[in-house]
Amino acid sequence: MAEIKQVIVPDIGDYKDVSIIDVMVKAGDKINAEDNLITLETDKAAMDVPSPYTGVVKELKVKVGDKVSQGSVILMLESSDSGGVLQKNDQSSQPTPNKATAPAAKEVSEKAVEAKVPSQVARADAQPSTQGMAQLLNRDTSSAKAHASPAIRRFARELGVDIVLVKGSGEKGRVTKDDVQNFVKSALGQTRGAAGGNGLQVLAMPVVDFAKFGAIESKPLSRIKKLSGANLHRNWVTIPHITQFDEADITEMEAFRKELNAEYAKQNIKITPLAFMIKAVVVALQKYPEFNASLDASGENLILKQYFHIGVAVDTPEGLVVPVLRDVDKKGIVQLAKELGEISTRAREKKITAAEMQGGCFSISSLGGIGGTAFTPIINAPELAILGVSKAIIKPMHQDDTFVARLMLPLSMSYDHRVIDGAAAARFIVFLSQVLSDTRRLAL
Ligand code: CAO
């Protein structure tokens, strides 16, 4: 016959007024003998108190933060197990530092002193499987010390979670079961986000002893290279890039540029083809506003910009920097050429501030002064597209049944295929080529 039994705190050695740091059951729970009911914490260790009987919790008499001693009532249990009310010397619900079995009272206090051992074992066990998460969260796992009951440590261990990585939301930062579960959820989400959960994991780079093959010298990367390298890597692996190519006939533009150059040489302003391209890109962005946009943080909305700031990749001895020319729609070619000269000089003198590299809508990377036929630039996120410009060369072009010599400028535009369709990209670059071929359109 079912009977209501009082479950009390067993003999816990000399400890009195011990804090309850975790309550694992609630009224209505069905529990088995040996299931942990509460966790007590002394100044030396945490101990789980298991149930002596199988039954249903009728009423909880304690809560987290309560102080209890031997004999304090933990809960009322409806049980059909034989036994009756637990006596103070009933050892069947002795607390245990890590095991479900109940040790003798003396043994409990001895084990309590040793209770740190299981937590250290938990940390060592968890290392291999959680190293990835630790790296993901960029935390140092060696020094942190977690506050968690043996039951929670065990739970974390079963899930392969290094408890020291889990931020506790309980009293005094204690790690709760929810904290462990949330940690796992968030780590899984981040792993998926970092392309780890969908079969896109990449092999680690092999560690090669280059000295085996010949003389070497080790040179640290510049700060700029490290920063831009990390950004380029992120953009390359997270944005589905497509590169669309075209050629613009800039024969007339080049003639006009030379005229302008001669005119402005006295003012020490050098007008390169790039100034025209910056302006032409903005004319194209005005016609195709979805290129003058960014995805918002959710990835579900397009933020359309009503300003036209263009980033220009500048090659400096320290590495690549991308200062931004502001409000290009409000500026003429000469003004842009002047600003371009100034900003690239300042970039090479390491005088560009972080603010001057922010707020870009679209970037241009010109290798036209160097050479090469085409290249695939990496999108400068959160922008959606980037224009690569290579060296213009004179080519025979077929016109009116004959071949004529024209100066052709190779264009390579990489775009974010999540937002921009191939047809839209083709329309954009064809229009851009038309604008460059007929500079009167810059004024429209
Ligand atoms: N075709 C033919 N000639 C070109 C040209 C093109 N597309 N672009 C520039 N030129 C000519 C210029 O007219 C200039 O000729 P002159 O000296 O005879 O007048 C010469 O090449 C040098 O131009 P420049 O490079 O000094 O000037 P710019 O305005 O074209 O470019 C800047 C400025 C800062 C963009 C450039 O110096 C630079 O740093 N480019 C490198 C960008 C880069 O590294 N991109 C790679 C990113 S992806 O890793």
Side-chain angles (χ1 to χ4, degrees), residues 302-318:
L302 206 53
I303 307 296
L304 294 154
K305 298 161 194 173
Q306 278 147 26
Y307 50 87
F308 297 89
H309 304 335
I310 304 296
V312 178
V314 179
D315 177 36
T316 78
E318 297 293 304

Side-chain angles (χ1 to χ4, degrees), residues 198-219:
N198 48 14
L200 292 178
Q201 295 98 326
V202 287
L203 285 177
M205 282 287 176
V207 180
V208 178
D209 177 10
F210 299 102
K212 271 198 329 200
F213 307 107
I216 57 164
E217 181 199 343
S218 177
K219 186 179 164 200

Side-chain angles (χ1 to χ4, degrees), residues 257 270 272-274 277 312-315 320 340 344 348 365-370 375 389-392 409:
R257 184 183 75 85
K270 183 174 174 182
T272 62
L274 192 51
M277 284 171 238
V312 178
V314 179
D315 177 36
L320 188 69
L340 182 62
S344 46
R348 287 176 180 134
S365 175
S366 173
L367 294 173
I370 302 169
F375 64 106
V389 181
S390 298
K391 189 175 178 62
L409 177 73

